[in-house]
Amino acid sequence: MSNLTRLLQKIKDNPVMYLEKPSITCLDFFLNGYLGAPIYLGLDREYSGIEGFQDWMQQREKIKVSNSWSEIILFDSRSERSAFYRFFELFEEFIKLKDSSKNQEGKEQYSATEENSRFSNFDIYDEILKGIKKRPGMFLGTRSITKLDMFLRGYSLGRKEVGVPPTEPEREFEGFQSWVQEKYGINSGQSWSKIILFYSVDEYEALQKFFELFEEYLNRNKSLEIDENSG
């Protein structure tokens, strides 16, 4: 059983733990981050388990436009929730057909080489967030703080699973959650994205506000470091 298969089963059994809710869109962007982590880190990815699913979905539904597999499933579903559970039925069907033609089990492998191991220092909060801030549609499809949150969660788990420790900026980001809670006076366990969205008009404004708050958070930490060094 591949890492992806095990992860998908865990998400299916407990979607709230990973995605906060059963949502096909959240799942899509979580997987984007998770499966993209080895690529961003410069690791060789021979097989992830989801290759071909996009093409298979388009052929199955006879769709020629470039909609993502999540959008295709959502189009024929009643809600984000029903589309979420429909995905697992379709993915199981896809895997069975794939395995019947060629057994791919056990071919998932990530490996670092001397040439690309330098990418283990890849900082997603610097390189990717800058890109999302400039061209959010290119990375997220639509301006959405929820999609950003899911992408970062998936990336964090993917990086952990390939055994690459987080960079200093990534460890620093762990404090963003408590900082947002303190700033808005929220004591509940809501995620930073939900808190920011609650105090915004919509996902679009919330994403813009995230970058403002994140910059404020980083500047605050820099000010604290200066105070500590001067003291």
Side-chain angles (χ1 to χ4, degrees):
M1 181 181 291
S2 68
N3 288 343
L4 177 63
T5 303
R6 285 191 291 269
L7 174 61
L8 286 176
Q9 186 60 54
K10 291 178 180 178
I11 294 175
K12 181 181 179 181
D13 293 340
N14 191 358
V16 175
M17 178 179 178
Y18 294 88
L19 313 176
E20 294 193 347
K21 60 182 178 180
S23 160
I24 188 73
T25 301
C26 289
L27 175 64
D28 184 3
F29 282 86
F30 180 90
L31 292 179
N32 281 343
Y34 175 78
L35 297 175
I39 299 173
Y40 296 133
L41 296 170
L43 303 179
D44 298 326
R45 187 181 72 175
E46 294 183 3
Y47 173 67
S48 73
I50 202 170
E51 287 87 355
F53 184 64
Q54 173 68 38
D55 292 338
W56 180 79
M57 279 298 307
Q58 288 182 299
Q59 293 173 10
R60 187 184 189 280
E61 302 299 323
K62 297 180 174 59
I63 293 178
K64 295 182 180 180
V65 294
S66 58
N67 294 74
S68 67
W69 55 261
S70 62
E71 291 172 327
I72 295 172
I73 297 173
L74 182 58
F75 181 75
D76 286 327
S77 303
R78 297 187 307 276
S79 63
E80 285 273 349
R81 180 186 180 89
S82 60
F84 171 82
Y85 289 107
R86 177 63 176 155
F87 161 80
F88 293 100
E89 297 173 2
L90 291 167
F91 192 70
E92 183 178 357
E93 180 183 340
F94 166 72
I95 291 298
K96 286 180 179 179
L97 289 172
K98 197 172 184 180
D99 286 347
S100 65
S101 60
K102 184 177 181 180
N103 182 17
Q104 296 280 359
E105 186 69 30
K107 290 190 177 181
E108 180 173 325
Q109 183 180 350
Y110 301 105
S111 60
T113 64
E114 290 184 5
E115 182 179 354
N116 60 28
S117 61
R118 60 190 175 87
F119 288 102
S120 62
N121 293 321
F122 173 86
D123 172 22
I124 191 170
Y125 296 102
D126 179 40
E127 302 189 39
I128 294 296
L129 281 187
K130 283 182 178 178
I132 293 176
K133 185 177 181 179
K134 291 180 180 178
R135 301 182 64 184
M138 177 178 174
F139 291 87
L140 306 177
T142 58
R143 296 173 184 267
S144 166
I145 194 171
T146 301
K147 288 181 178 180
L148 173 64
D149 185 7
M150 293 302 112
F151 178 83
L152 293 178
R153 291 186 191 202
Y155 171 82
S156 179
L157 179 60
R159 184 180 183 113
K160 182 179 180 181
E161 286 198 355
V162 297
V164 178
T167 60
E168 182 59 34
E170 288 176 41
R171 285 193 292 269
E172 185 179 27
F173 186 77
E174 295 175 1
F176 184 64
Q177 171 68 38
S178 58
W179 182 82
V180 170
Q181 286 179 302
E182 182 179 347
K183 182 176 181 65
Y184 285 98
I186 302 293
N187 296 320
S188 65
Q190 301 293 346
S191 66
W192 55 263
S193 61
K194 273 195 171 183
I195 295 173
I196 297 174
L197 181 58
F198 181 79
Y199 286 97
S200 304
V201 174
D202 52 23
E203 290 271 355
Y204 182 102
E205 183 181 281
L207 183 64
Q208 291 181 306
K209 190 172 292 185
F210 160 78
F211 286 108
E212 295 172 4
L213 290 169
F214 186 55
E215 184 175 355
E216 181 183 340
Y217 169 71
L218 292 178
N219 290 334
R220 173 182 175 277
N221 283 352
K222 289 177 183 178
S223 298
L224 289 175
E225 290 176 3
I226 293 174
D227 291 340
E228 290 175 358
N229 292 333
S230 61

